Amino acid sequence: MAYTAHVDTFARDNLPPRELWPEFLFERPEVRYPERVNCAAELLDAAVARGWGGRTAIRAADGECTYLQLMAQANRIAAVLVEDLGLVPGNRVLLRGPNNPMMAACWLGVVKAGGIAVATMPLLRAKELTDIVTKAEVTHALCDRRLAADLEAALPACPTLKTVRYWYDDGRDALDTLAAAKSGEFANCPTARDDVALIAFTSGTTGKPKGTVHFHRDVLAMCDLFPRSCLRVAADDVFCGTPPLAFTFGLGGMLCFPLRAGASTVLVERLTPEKLLETIEAFRATVCITAPTFYRQMAAIAGRYDLSSLTRCVSAGEALPDATRQAFKAATGIEIIDGIGSTEMIHIFISHTPETVRRGATGYAVPGYRATVLDEAGNPCPPGVVGRLAVKGPTGCRYLADERQRNYVQNGWNVTGDAYLMDADGYFHYQARTDDMIISAGYNIAGPEVEGALLAHEAVAECGVVAAPDEERGQIPKAYVVLKPGYRGDAALVKSLQDFVKATIAPYKYPRAIEFVDALPRTETGKLQRFKLREMARGPG
């Protein structure tokens, strides 16, 4: 590339070799961006320039803010980063917070300043934060004060992370205090369209974090394809939902999609199915974004709430069972828009409109993307034959310094790790994951990572963790545990192991079922035979 605004070139220096990048397609004019573009400025400053400054951007339980107010706050945070904290373009900034207005403003402020946002979920523990900080060589962190404990516990093992500031804090050096002293004006960093804007971490089957690197143009592309062609976002829409801003699913659906259209988003820190329905009713939300688990639970109680404002619902994160789709439609009259995306691709690339739904299918390639199903040799499968889902478009996988790039990108295609078949009309039908990832209630959980946590318990000799079917959550992590001599496999020990895992890694990853066994199935060379554990977890038949 001829130009970069980044002074700190770590992210670009650690991209995969060009020959390992996927093929990128810019066939649609809406994804052909200027050579210099800052995606946060496009989402905020450009919105104000269009005359949207007085429109509501973010709604929350304690108030709301306009586009002009959000832009000013993001500018103040950018000014703090540059003027007070010494950020130079290309530095990585860890963001740690739930879905609240300051988390959104911080993300936008980091990107305006030319920093690279590395957002993390509130549930992550010190070890997981350490892995992320180390991998991305994070230099700065902005954190919700209520989540300080795990970040501070990680700091001794994170020598690159020298600057931390907290929000929702009234201390002299708090982000809030420093930001309040700034004018609200800021000269946006003149980033290139293919400068890095964010590094989003996902867990692979090994549990070792993979950093997926996305450019400024990728953020805009996710806003300009699926939301326009399938979701059909309008300026009067009010978004709500559950995905964290730390996930690209949430970054798009809960922040960037509405901002791109002049719409608004409702940010709620903790949601249950009941609370989400209350939120739709209270804020007159028009768009809901969540995982199938929530739609299943919401369908049973939807009749208690006034959902007359709701017009569109998006499901992603795991396969949407047809029974869930039909139950929700019967309860609300709304046809759920299903979709599949990945952190590697930044957002949804296969979906449909409510009018073009086909029962049992995820949908078709979102305009701007191409998708196919490949056999093991890398050749396209004929219609009706199960193979590996492969996709290409204006976004694609670039792992940060990771050999697993060779597995995900093959012959220019992004091979997602999902088994699909494509019918004669180009609709894609989900079959299963092709790896050992457990997808539970929309969360990706790596079995080996859970095993690592269990093995640190004094009672555990060996263990294996696989997906077990579950009516409520789709799948749950199930652990098969071999105990050390002198320990008794009873209910008390099950609870002890579960509590231990919750305290070691993010609590949602804990094994919801534990079975004690005398030995694990292994090959002659000692490899764990996961397929046998999966067969055991599925039960007879």
Side-chain angles (χ1 to χ4, degrees):
M1 61 179 283
Y3 170 82
T4 176
H6 284 179
V7 177
D8 180 345
T9 60
F10 168 85
R12 178 158 295 278
D13 295 342
N14 283 279
L15 288 171
R18 275 295 179 120
E19 64 270 20
L20 298 183
W21 289 25
E23 179 186 359
F24 290 98
L25 306 176
F26 304 100
E27 297 166 335
R28 297 184 68 87
E30 55 264 47
V31 296
R32 299 172 194 157
Y33 304 106
E35 288 188 5
R36 294 193 190 187
V37 66
N38 184 301
C39 63
E42 279 297 304
L43 294 171
L44 274 182
D45 302 55
V48 172
R50 290 187 193 104
W52 296 347
R55 296 183 65 86
T56 300
I58 295 179
R59 304 171 190 268
D62 56 355
E64 58 186 44
C65 70
T66 65
Y67 275 77
L68 192 58
Q69 290 169 327
L70 179 59
M71 182 179 76
Q73 180 70 340
N75 284 345
R76 285 190 285 267
I77 292 167
V80 169
L81 286 165
V82 173
E83 297 167 10
D84 299 339
L85 307 183
L87 179 134
V88 299
N91 283 167
R92 279 75 56 212
V93 183
L94 188 83
L95 297 176
R96 180 160 168 75
N99 284 12
N100 59 40
M102 273 297 284
M103 179 69 170
C106 284
W107 190 92
L108 293 160
V110 167
V111 178
K112 275 173 156 281
I116 298 173
V118 184
T120 59
M121 282 203 311
L123 291 172
L124 296 188
R125 302 299 194 197
K127 179 187 181 301
E128 295 154 315
L129 292 171
T130 300
D131 290 342
I132 289 170
V133 169
T134 302
K135 181 76 175 181
E137 295 193 9
V138 169
T139 58
H140 298 68
L142 303 178
C143 178
D144 189 308
R145 167 54 73 181
R146 296 166 295 174
L147 300 174
D150 283 297
L151 179 58
E152 291 177 355
L155 288 177
C158 300
T160 64
L161 179 51
K162 300 183 185 303
T163 305
V164 179
R165 292 294 183 274
Y166 296 100
W167 74 78
Y168 294 160
D169 186 353
D170 57 5
R172 187 179 65 180
D173 291 332
L175 180 60
D176 311 64
T177 306
L178 296 172
K182 303 300 180 183
S183 69
E185 301 288 331
F186 184 78
N188 297 307
C189 183
T191 46
R193 66 188 172 199
D194 51 356
D195 275 336
V196 178
L198 70 142
I199 301 173
F201 277 85
T202 180
S203 290
T205 55
T206 65
K208 294 178 182 177
K210 292 179 288 190
T212 65
V213 179
H214 297 292
F215 297 164
H216 284 259
R217 62 173 165 85
D218 299 324
V219 175
L220 296 176
M222 79 171 172
C223 297
D224 291 340
L225 293 178
F226 166 74
R228 292 187 182 184
S229 61
C230 297
L231 190 53
R232 297 171 181 166
V233 181
D236 58 355
D237 275 322
V238 179
F239 282 67
C240 70
T242 61
L245 293 175
F247 286 171
T248 55
F249 182 32
L251 177 66
M254 298 307 301
L255 184 63
C256 297
F257 292 180
L259 292 183
R260 188 64 163 165
S264 67
T265 184
V266 184
L267 296 181
V268 181
E269 293 188 359
R270 294 182 183 86
L271 284 169
T272 62
E274 293 83 0
K275 182 67 174 176
L276 182 51
L277 289 166
E278 290 172 9
T279 299
I280 295 168
E281 180 179 83
F283 289 90
R284 306 298 294 160
T286 60
V287 179
C288 177
I289 299 178
T290 190
T293 307
F294 263 58
Y295 286 120
R296 282 195 291 272
Q297 297 176 14
M298 288 161 64
I301 56 175
R304 304 177 198 166
Y305 301 88
D306 177 6
L307 306 180
S308 57
S309 63
L310 192 62
T311 59
R312 280 146 296 155
C313 291
V314 177
S315 175
E318 61 182 335
L320 175 67
D322 188 62
T324 300
R325 176 192 290 282
Q326 301 309 325
F328 192 79
K329 185 177 181 180
T332 65
I334 295 175
E335 188 79 72
I336 297 173
I337 300 170
D338 194 9
I340 179 174
S342 68
T343 310
E344 288 84 355
M345 300 296 294
I346 202 168
H347 220 277
I348 291 172
F349 49 79
I350 288 176
S351 188
H352 59 85
T353 66
E355 299 80 18
T356 58
V357 65
R358 180 167 295 186
R359 290 184 68 167
T362 305
Y364 45 81
V366 168
Y369 287 92
R370 297 182 197 168
T372 190
V373 174
L374 302 176
D375 63 20
E376 288 302 317
N379 302 311
C381 296
V385 174
V386 176
R388 299 174 299 149
L389 181 65
V391 63
K392 62 178 68 170
T395 63
C397 178
R398 306 176 207 85
Y399 286 137
L400 183 75
D402 202 309
E403 283 298 316
R404 288 170 288 187
Q405 179 78 15
R406 296 177 183 274
N407 299 328
Y408 203 93
V409 177
Q410 299 176 22
N411 298 318
W413 290 98
N414 298 275
V415 181
T416 67
D418 299 281
Y420 266 82
L421 65 80
M422 183 177 71
D423 66 24
D425 297 322
Y427 278 76
F428 290 82
H429 299 251
Y430 177 76
Q431 307 299 304
R433 287 289 291 176
T434 56
D435 59 16
D436 290 319
M437 186 63 70
I438 302 162
I439 305 176
S440 183
Y443 288 104
N444 286 357
I445 302 169
E449 185 181 22
V450 185
E451 291 164 9
L454 281 168
L455 287 168
H457 192 281
E458 61 183 4
V460 176
E462 296 180 85
C463 64
V465 177
V466 296
D470 180 75
E471 185 173 343
E472 188 67 24
R473 306 179 72 83
Q475 297 178 338
I476 58 169
K478 180 170 183 179
Y480 292 89
V481 175
V482 179
L483 295 174
K484 294 177 181 175
Y487 289 91
R488 180 182 174 188
D490 55 16
L493 185 54
V494 167
K495 186 176 187 306
S496 173
L497 292 173
Q498 291 174 327
D499 290 344
F500 183 80
V501 172
K502 288 179 187 178
T504 305
I505 57 178
Y508 69 84
K509 300 177 183 178
Y510 83 94
R512 291 175 179 268
I514 295 178
E515 183 174 334
F516 297 104
V517 293
D518 294 329
L520 296 177
R522 295 187 179 277
T523 65
E524 290 182 2
T525 58
K527 286 188 177 181
L528 180 63
Q529 295 177 307
R530 294 183 181 278
F531 72 94
K532 289 189 176 180
L533 292 183
R534 287 194 291 267
E535 290 170 359
M536 292 164 59
R538 285 195 295 268

